[in-house]
Structure formats: structure tokens, C-alpha cells
């Protein structure tokens, strides 16, 4: 369990770093790790006297200041009032396209997932979309998705939104909007660049020397294991309890 | 004017072949009314999830009541995939109309405003545009030369949802769940179940009135206590996670689903 | 995050040449802030009335602060025609952009949704289509073959209105005056004057929250007691009909208007 | 004053008759006579056990059940939920077109009125638009309006809305959507058909025998002078007071 907690803590701290500088981040329902990352950034900014961070957690009463119904998040993104959001995907390809619909021939998919949710829209409108998918395997990271729920690059139309980074259980990639693909930034211990190559079905840029994803420092861990998991408990009681028990 | 009737009478307002719009889990899903609909033998529904659904859609699909499904997703959330939805996709039990959340709201908004279509940001590049032949990409007729997606108006025959309370004039408290108003504005008829009917007029007072769907948009109301169970109703009561997990497990097989459904319908009769 | 400042500082946020959106009389017109704007020498405004205006627009026009005016009407209501508006039309003191109420809302809605245009029902056959070259009639790209009017997005630089209260986080109570939210969603910056700042958070509680414009949309707040005077503020206070009639009489002449304006500005300084 | 009261009572009772059968009528601000007509219909339906009538008076707290801001009336009309509405006009022509903008060359009008308000939209969408203009003179009723704020007939697009009748201080006209013009239905006492011809600048159909507009019967007058003026006082205190004082 301690390894599991450590894995999650690295993800949370990495997300906080990826969000640095934003004013408003929206987090989907059932996303405790992104939510914890956002809360960590908020707490850190507060302690450092940096600008406040607003967090919207969909479906949470305490972390919502929306009063115009289900459309408000989407309108808000269209207005440029949402700086960051998280998307996952049953498949993600090397061009950053994501598939939330299914594999095989549409519509009678071999494997069917829930559906595209708001991805087709938000990918265009939120400047810093963080692709977050814990499972790092060739079946997830494919050369070409079977169905494009949301496309990462559309040179035919102006857009402010798109992928910023891809974070998995094993590694962190940057997305290069110029090149239109991913570049490996760091690998989480104990994995190696070879593990990443083996488990990634798409091509990506790899630097000569690949960094290790930094573990959170002591101050960050203290903040996380105290205040952040307490804050998280309101929305994700089971997750927060597990993390606290492991401590 | 709004009629206040029994749950059975409310269920009888939905007839085979109609399009039925329902809200997202937790926003006010009329689960008890869904049982009453199934009991009444509703079928051939054109189900429109605003903008996604879970248990309610899965039950209607499993019971064979759905002819077509327009949604941005069907999922049981923490309890995982929606088994009857997944099985129905494989067996092509219904016509699937995949969407994306804001496109469903945009379609409803077009109906609310009496226009045939609504432009919407984003979407370009998505394969949804290939499978939704009713969506178009046009050159913006105004302003900077750019492509814009347009989607057709969605005018459901019936909207169905559950809310904490209504008053005797038929005004319904929706709080900040304005997606319920979006549903009602766009729909030809709106059916609402409520936990209770109250005596004071909900439109009295600025704070109270701000969270009200006026009776003008509400055709039929029935009382159904704990009418969203096993789903949550705002902060009135939480979801019954154990029950939803039980459903998720049983509904993996057709037989298990039948057993669950039978018990679910029996439960409604006992509560009523 | 929302800043809470003095009225003078709030007024300084509006700079010459900006587009300024204001609500209809009685909905929450920031009259005291308007005096502060005029005192600060605001000019060359592109004024957008949502969807009409009265005393506020007439004062700004009379003071020479308006370069262009988009509105569906300017009228003092019971007190009759708006004299400086009428005189300004004759002397072509500003560029007039005549509109119709729902077209102004449609333009704001397009901005709210990040699309370049919005379709709107009706209007066809109106001469407004001749004088508004930025409006178009198109063939509907979807559904039944028919003509539809489309209007461009309206994204005001600044929205300015008055409300009863805000909390310390910058949430503003708007009750059922959702046109104030429409204004804020569409505008790049939103300035609000309030009767009072309260300590409790307006988003706490479903009833209260339903009538709130969240601070996300509110850039700057200043306190201005009786800040809508002489206009009404919801049911907080009625319009001062005698004062408005006095304005209507005095503003018939340029000199009379100057005298009224001077007294109006003095009044603000004395109240402050 | 008694003649003035009688004139108004005829108008109010005529409006109630024109509205017969509707479920929802919207009344603009500053329109006490249309509001009183709507209230009279509502009370009469209630007494006769006929379907209830909903009245929205713009700007009135007590007579509004709208909760979605200023746009709701317009959306409501687009949804077919508003059966009747009143429009006036600085000019009204024989084809039913109305001008709320001004006379002479736009934009520097000779006479400038407030503006088109919602007329260009509502005229298309409300089935029973009652044109109500007290002043009956050739300067109001012109052959052709100088500016069409709202056009009555647009064969090029489908529409459910348009003019139903024109009511003035002197007469009541029906609007014939087939013929595209007005037909004189009745003349209010003490006026004659010749008065109408003299004061109307546009051509209209005139029957061989022109009826007199009926005066309200005793029951209607009792209802009007009692309950209706009491109800009206909430929104139009000055008007209701004048009417009561004259009684």
C-alpha cells in the first residue's frame, strides 16, 4: 500500500506542478487525483502569497460556484474562464487524439466505453488540457485511435485549447503543439525509459537523457498528507481515507 | 394549468414512440416514475440524456423500452460501466446517437428559442461529425471567416425529472439545477415527480423565486417520496451506492438484470 | 478574484472608447456609478442597452459621453420621451444602431457561448435588417428549408450594473434578474455597485445560491447606497417618479440638461 | 371625466372580448387598458368556469412568473406559450406594418420615437397580436409607414404570429391575413363611419352596415369597477384611482 500511496503522491504533486500559473481549473467527477493536485496548487499558492486558484469539481456542492446549470462549465470554457481541465481516454494516440467511445467499427464497437462526454468541445477551448490516464499500456496508447472523440490539432480552425501534457502511472510527456506529438519529459521511479518504450504504442520524442520524475519534497508531503487529504475528504471520502490510512 | 395526479396517471402521459428527455444522475432523476413507466409497458422510446445518464437509461435499455438513444455518455459512475447499455450496443438493440454534452444543451437551446439550429464552439475534427449526419460544419455567415459546427434543435415530446418540492400552483423548486429548466423550456410536455407538495407559493420572495421553474412549463406533477432512489437528490439524500453496485453486478447478465428489474418494480409497488 | 474598491476606483476601470453594456431600468441600473463615470470624464463610449434604457442612457448622451448607441429603445417610461436621445438623433451626435430586444440578448448569448453569431426567430421583413448591415438573413443549414436571421456576437468591454448585495468573496445577489448574469457572462469585465456587502457567503444554501452571480464573473465591486436612485431597485426601493419627471422637463433644453447634470453630480458628491 | 371613463371602459371590455379563448397573454409595461382587459377576461372565465387565463405584465412583480430574466418572455413566445400580446406604433399602415422608430429619413428622423422594442420579433411569434393605439388620426394611420419596425405579413417565411385586430379610441378593425389588410368591425359611440374614414390615412374594408361597438353590460361594469380596478391598482395605482374616482 505504501508503494501505491507513493505512486499517487507523485501523480498529485506532478499535477500541481503542471497547473502552476493557472487561475481556474475544472475537474471532472470521480477524479480524486486531479482534484488533489489542484488543491495542492491552491494551498501552495496561498502559502507563497501567489494568486489564488479557483477549483471547480463537477458534481461537488462545496467545490462549485456554478449557478446556471449543467451548461455553465461549457459556457465558462468558451468565455476563456477555464484555464485547465483533465481528459482521459480508452485510447490516446501519438497525435494527442482521444477515444472515449469504443474500439472496432462504430457503432457496434468490440469494446464500448461510456461516450465522449464534453471532450469534443472542451479540447478546443481549454488552454491547458492535461491528459491523465493511469494505465500505461499499448492497448491504451495506440498509433491511431479507432474513434476520435476529440481531436488535438485542427489547423483548419483557430482554437485556444488542446493537450498540454500526458501523465500516466509510469511517465510524464509534454505535448508539442508545433510538432503535433508527445515528448517524454520524465519517468516515475522505479520505471525506466525502456519500460515506457515497451508500453507505449505510439511514437514520441525521447531526449538523450531522460529525467526521473521528482518525488514530492518533505514540505509538499506534509501539506498533502495533512490539509489536502482533509479537504479532499469532503468530495472523495473513500480515497482520502485510504491515503490517510496508508500514512 | 398544471395537473397534480397519481404516479400511475403521470406515467400514462408517456406513450410509445415518444422522445423522452431525462437529466443527469444527481440532478433530479425520476427513478420511481421510471419504474411506473416500465410497469405501464412504455416502449419504443427515443431517449435523450441531458447530457448523460446512468442507472435510469440502463434500466430502460435493459427492459427493451428504448428504440434510439441520444447521449454524451452512459455510465454508472463509481460503480463502473452501464451493463445493459454496453450489451445493447453490441447487439444493436437500439439506434445509437453519440453526442457531446454541450451539443445536447445547444439542441435544447435551439428549441427554447424557436430556431432550427444552434451554432456551437469546438467539436471540429471529432468523428462525432462523421456519425452525426444531422450535424453540419458551415462557414460562419458573420464576422471572421471560420468554420462553425451547427446542430439541430432538440424538441423532446416529454421531459421527466424529480425535484424536492412543488407548490399547489405547479411551480417547481429547481434551485441552481437550471438544466432542469433547460429541459422543460425545450420540451412539449414536462412531467415532474416531487418529494412533497407545499402550501406556500414558491414564487413569493426573491430568493425563493430565483430557484423556481414556473408552472407555465410544468404539465403534470405527482408525488413520489424518495423518488430518485437509489440515485441522489441534490443534498436531500445521497446516492445508495450499495444498491447501485448491486445493480451493476446483477445487470452483467440478462437473467440477473431481469431479477433486478422485477425486484425494482416490486419495490415501487410496496412503497406506493 | 473580485476586487472591492471605492466608487471612484470602480469608475476609473471604464476607459474612453470602450463598449459599455447596461441593463434596463428597474433591473439594477448603476446611477451613482454613472455620475462617477461622468465626473471622471468618460467619453467615446459604445453604449449597449440590454435591451433598452432610459435615464442612464439619456444622461450619458446629454453629457456627450456616447459615440455609438446600440439599443431597442430609449424612453423615460411614464415620464415620456428621452430628450437628449431625441435631440442627439436629430443632430447625429452619435452613431445609432437600432435593434430589437431579443436580438441584443441573442448577441450576448453568442458571446457567452463563444460562437461568432446566433440565429434568432422573427425579424424578417423589418427595416432593421436594412439598417443593420451586420445582421444577415441565411438559409437554415439544417432542417426545413427556411430563412433565418443571424446576428453577430456582442462582447462588451465592460458591463456595469447595481444590485442589492454582494458577499466578501465577490458573489452578487441578482435574484431572478438573470439578465444581469447574461450581461456578465458576455462581457470582458463586469463592474457592480451594491447597496451593501454582507458577511455570509451567498452561495451557501440552495435557495440563496440560485439567485447568485458567482464572483468568477465579477471583476470589481463598490458600495453605493441607493445607487440606482432615482430609478427603482427591484422591490428594495421604488423609482423616484417626481425626480424623473423633473429630469424630463429640464432636459428638454440643452441648458436645462446642463443644470440638471451639474446638480446630479453634486448630489453624488454630497451622498458619498 | 365620465365620458373619458366610459371610453376606457368600452376599450377594456372590447379587449377582453378580443382575448377570448387565450390561455396566456403578455402585456407590456405602462399599458393599463390592455392589462385591465386581460384581467376582465380572467375574472369572467373564472366566474363562468372557463379555462384559467394567465397574465404576464412586464415590469410587474405580482403579475410575473418569469424566473429566467429579460429574455424569458421572448423565449416563451418562440415556444408558442404566449397566445396574445399588444403592440402600438407611432405609425401603423394599411398592411398592418408598424413603425416605432420615427418619421422621415432614417437615421436622422424628423420625429424620433423610442425604438422598436421587441416588436420585430414578437409580431412573428404571437398568434393574436392586438394593435392598440388610442389616438385615431391620419398621422398615425398612414398609407405606408416611414420605417417598418415590424412587418405584418411575410409570405417568404412560415410564421404563427401577426395582427389580429386594431383597436383605437374610435373604432375596432379586424385584420384579414388573407387579404392583408384591415376591415372595420365596429365604431365606438358617438363616432360614425364617416369619422373613421376622415381620420384613417389607409384604405380598409367597410361593410355596408357598420355596427356600433357594444357598451359593456351591467354585470361587466360591476366586475370592472369593483374587482378589476382593485386588481389593477397593484400595478397601475394612478390609473386605477382615476377610474374609481370617476365612478
Amino acid at each position: 500500500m505504501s508503494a501505491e500511496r507513493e505512486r499517487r503522491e507523485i501523480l498529485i504533486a506532478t499535477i500541481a506542478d503542471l497547473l502552476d500559473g493557472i487561475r481556474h481549473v475544472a475537474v471532472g467527477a470521480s477524479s480524486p487525483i486531479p482534484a488533489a493536485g489542484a488543491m495542492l496548487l491552491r494551498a501552495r499558492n496561498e502559502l507563497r502569497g501567489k494568486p489564488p486558484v479557483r477549483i471547480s469539481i463537477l458534481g461537488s456542492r462545496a467545490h462549485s460556484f456554478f449557478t446556471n446549470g449543467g451548461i455553465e462549465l461549457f459556457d465558462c470554457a468558451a468565455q476563456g474562464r477555464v484555464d485547465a481541465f483533465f481528459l482521459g481516454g480508452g485510447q490516446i494516440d501519438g497525435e494527442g487524439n482521444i477515444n472515449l467511445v469504443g474500439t472496432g467499427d462504430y457503432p457496434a464497437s468490440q469494446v464500448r466505453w461510456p461516450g465522449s462526454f464534453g471532450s469534443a468541445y472542451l479540447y478546443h477551448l481549454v488552454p491547458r488540457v492535461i491528459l491523465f490516464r493511469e494505465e500505461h499500456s499499448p492497448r491504451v496508447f495506440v498509433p491511431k485511435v479507432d474513434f476520435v472523440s476529440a481531436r488535438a490539432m485542427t489547423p483548419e480552425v483557430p482554437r485556444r485549447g488542446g493537450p498540454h501534457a500526458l501523465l500516466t502511472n509510469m511517465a510524464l510527456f509534454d505535448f508539442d503543439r508545433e510538432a503535433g506529438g508527445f515528448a517524454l519529459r520524465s519517468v516515475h521511479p522505479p520505471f525506466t525509459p525502456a519500460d515506457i518504450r515497451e508500453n507505449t504504442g505510439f511514437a514520441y520524442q525521447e531526449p538523450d537523457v531522460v529525467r526521473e520524475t521528482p518525488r514530492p519534497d518533505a514540505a509538499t508531503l506534509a501539506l498533502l498528507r495533512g490539509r489536502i487529504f482533509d479537504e479532499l475528504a469532503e468530495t472523495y471520502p473513500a480515497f482520502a481515507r485510504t491515503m490517510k490510512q496508508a500514512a | 394549468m398544471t395537473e397534480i395526479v397519481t404516479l400511475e396517471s403521470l406515467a400514462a402521459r408517456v406513450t410509445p414512440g415518444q422522445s423522452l428527455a431525462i437529466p443527469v444522475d444527481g440532478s433530479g432523476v425520476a427513478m420511481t416514475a421510471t419504474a411506473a413507466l416500465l410497469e405501464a409497458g412504455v416502449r419504443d422510446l427515443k431517449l435523450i440524456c441531458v447530457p448523460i445518464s446512468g442507472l435510469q437509461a440502463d434500466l430502460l435499455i435493459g427492459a427493451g423500452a428504448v428504440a434510439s438513444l441520444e447521449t454524451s455518455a452512459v455510465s454508472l459512475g463509481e460503480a463502473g460501466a452501464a451493463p445493459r447499455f454496453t450489451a445493447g450496443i453490441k447487439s444493436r438493440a437500439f439506434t445509437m446517437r453519440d453526442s457531446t454534452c454541450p451539443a445536447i444543451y445547444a439542441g435544447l437551446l435551439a428549441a427554447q428559442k424557436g430556431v432550427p439550429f444552434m451554432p456551437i464552439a469546438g467539436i471540429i475534427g471529432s468523428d462525432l461529425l462523421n456519425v452525426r449526419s444531422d450535424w453540419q460544419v458551415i462557414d460562419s455567415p458573420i464576422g471572421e471567416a471560420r468554420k462553425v459546427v451547427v446542430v439541430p434543435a432538440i424538441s423532446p415530446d416529454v421531459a421527466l425529472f424529480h425535484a424536492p418540492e412543488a407548490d399547489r400552483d405547479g411551480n417547481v423548486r429547481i434551485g441552481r439545477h437550471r438544466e432542469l429548466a433547460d429541459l422543460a423550456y425545450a420540451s412539449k410536455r414536462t412531467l415532474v415527480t416531487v418529494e412533497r407538495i407545499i402550501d406556500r407559493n414558491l414564487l413569493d420572495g426573491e430568493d425563493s423565486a430565483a430557484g423556481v421553474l414556473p408552472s407555465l412549463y410544468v404539465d403534470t406533477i405527482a408525488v413520489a417520496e424518495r423518488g430518485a432512489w437509489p440515485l441522489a437528490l441534490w443534498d436531500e439524500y445521497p446516492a445508495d451506492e450499495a444498491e447501485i453496485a448491486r445493480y451493476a453486478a446483477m445487470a452483467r447478465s440478462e437473467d440477473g438484470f431481469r431479477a433486478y428489474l422485477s425486484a425494482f418494480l416490486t419495490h415501487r409497488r410496496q412503497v406506493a
Side-chain angles (χ1 to χ4, degrees), chain A, chain B:
Chain A
M1 189 59 216
S2 171
E4 172 66 0
R5 186 185 59 158
E6 195 175 301
R7 180 185 72 77
R8 287 175 169 175
E9 286 174 343
I10 287 182
L11 295 178
I12 293 168
T14 303
I15 286 170
D17 290 343
L18 287 171
L19 294 175
D20 192 48
I22 61 109
R23 299 156 306 158
H24 180 199
V25 53
V27 179
S30 324
S31 306
I33 291 173
M39 286 170 179
L40 177 58
L41 174 74
R42 180 173 63 184
R44 210 158 59 186
N45 274 18
E46 206 180 295
L47 294 172
R48 293 178 185 171
K50 290 172 70 180
V53 172
R54 215 185 266 272
I55 306 174
S56 299
I57 301 178
L58 305 187
S60 154
R61 255 319 134 92
H63 290 92
S64 168
F65 41 78
F66 288 146
T67 60
N68 197 29
I71 193 60
E72 190 170 357
L73 166 71
F74 302 105
D75 286 351
C76 212
Q79 293 153 28
R81 298 185 206 265
V82 180
D83 304 310
F85 190 68
F86 298 87
L87 284 174
Q91 293 179 329
I92 297 174
D93 71 23
E95 293 177 352
N97 302 317
I98 65 175
N99 175 2
L100 296 158
V101 163
T103 64
D105 280 344
Y106 186 90
S109 317
Q110 282 176 283
V111 177
R112 170 73 203 203
W113 298 307
S116 300
F117 293 93
S119 64
Y121 177 93
L122 292 170
Y123 219 18
H124 277 260
L125 294 163
V126 178
R128 212 182 285 193
V129 175
I130 296 170
L131 299 171
F132 178 61
R133 173 74 199 196
E134 295 185 69
E135 178 183 335
H136 194 139
S137 72
R139 71 170 194 166
V140 173
F141 299 115
V142 296
K144 191 170 170 1
V145 294
D146 290 1
F147 186 98
V148 179
S149 284
R151 192 174 294 279
M153 313 276 295
T154 51
E156 67 271 33
V157 280
R159 63 191 280 178
R160 81 169 77 88
H164 176 68
L166 165 63
L167 179 64
T168 77
N169 268 345
M170 296 173 73
L172 170 64
F173 298 83
D174 289 309
F175 189 81
D176 181 338
R177 291 196 195 178
E178 294 294 309
F182 293 100
L184 186 63
R185 191 203 291 190
S186 67
V187 174
H188 316 334
F191 300 108
T192 66
D195 294 328
I196 307 306
R197 281 192 295 272
E198 191 175 324
N199 286 286
T200 307
F202 59 68
Y204 56 89
Q205 297 293 315
E206 186 181 322
D208 294 338
V209 180
V210 178
R211 283 202 313 144
E212 187 166 275
T213 309
R215 286 186 172 81
D217 61 24
T220 300
L221 282 179
L223 195 58
L224 202 49
R225 293 173 185 177
R227 172 174 165 182
I228 303 307
F229 292 148
D230 286 342
E231 286 180 6
L232 203 62
E234 186 269 339
T235 315
Y236 303 103
F239 182 88
R241 202 164 44 238
T242 312
M243 293 299 281
K244 283 235 156 196
Q245 277 165 353
Chain B
M1 294 285 152
T2 313
E3 48 171 11
I4 301 182
V5 301
T6 64
L7 188 61
E8 288 70 24
S9 301
L10 178 139
R13 300 290 182 276
V14 183
T15 57
Q18 285 190 314
S19 55
L20 175 68
I22 56 173
V24 60
D25 287 3
S27 166
V29 173
M31 286 304 297
T32 305
T34 302
L37 283 182
L38 290 172
E39 195 96 71
V42 72
R43 61 195 158 73
D44 287 335
L45 291 177
K46 299 180 186 78
L47 194 65
I48 301 161
C49 309
V50 181
I52 60 170
S53 185
L55 183 61
Q56 186 183 22
D58 212 55
L59 271 174
L60 288 166
I61 290 167
V66 174
S68 79
L69 176 65
E70 173 151 21
T71 190
S72 303
V74 182
S75 161
L76 298 181
E78 300 292 305
R84 293 298 97 200
F85 163 70
T86 311
I89 286 279
K90 280 209 196 315
S91 66
R92 308 195 67 157
F94 51 83
T95 303
M96 182 64 200
R97 294 159 61 81
D98 265 288
S99 189
T100 181
C101 304
I104 289 183
Y105 288 117
L108 294 174
L109 186 63
Q112 174 182 332
K113 301 201 166 279
V115 289
F117 72 94
M118 189 55 50
I120 178 172
I123 301 181
I124 286 171
S126 168
D127 281 343
L128 289 171
L129 284 163
N130 300 329
V131 304
R132 289 300 299 260
S133 57
D134 55 336
W135 296 3
Q136 300 287 330
V137 182
I138 65 166
D139 293 308
S140 175
I142 288 184
E144 127 189 64
R146 60 167 297 175
K147 301 281 182 197
V148 180
V149 173
V150 290
V151 299
I154 299 175
S155 308
D157 292 320
V158 182
L160 171 66
F161 65 83
H162 184 71
E165 58 194 21
D167 66 24
R168 301 206 174 276
D169 285 347
N171 300 302
V172 175
R173 187 159 82 86
I174 59 168
R176 66 189 113 169
H177 289 274
R178 298 200 64 84
E179 61 274 8
L180 301 175
D182 298 337
L183 262 180
Y185 297 151
S187 297
K188 298 186 189 79
R189 294 180 70 81
T190 294
L191 316 181
V192 182
T193 58
V194 293
E195 295 289 316
R196 56 193 170 267
I197 307 268
I198 62 166
D199 287 323
R200 88 183 162 87
N201 188 303
L202 282 165
L203 287 177
D204 290 345
E206 197 60 46
D207 261 12
S208 170
V212 169
L213 176 67
S215 60
L216 176 63
Y217 305 98
V218 181
D219 295 278
T220 306
I221 292 176
V223 171
E225 281 176 41
R226 294 191 67 78
W229 179 87
L231 298 175
L233 178 63
W234 309 0
D235 37 15
E236 294 255 329
Y237 43 86
D240 183 344
E241 300 288 0
E243 178 70 12
I244 299 169
R246 204 169 70 82
Y247 173 81
M250 288 182 72
R252 273 188 214 142
S253 74
E254 177 70 29
D255 285 353
F257 173 79
R258 289 284 151 201
Y260 184 92
L261 179 62
S262 169
F264 185 70
L265 297 185
T266 304
H267 174 268
R268 184 193 71 81
R269 282 194 302 271
Q270 285 166 348
V271 168

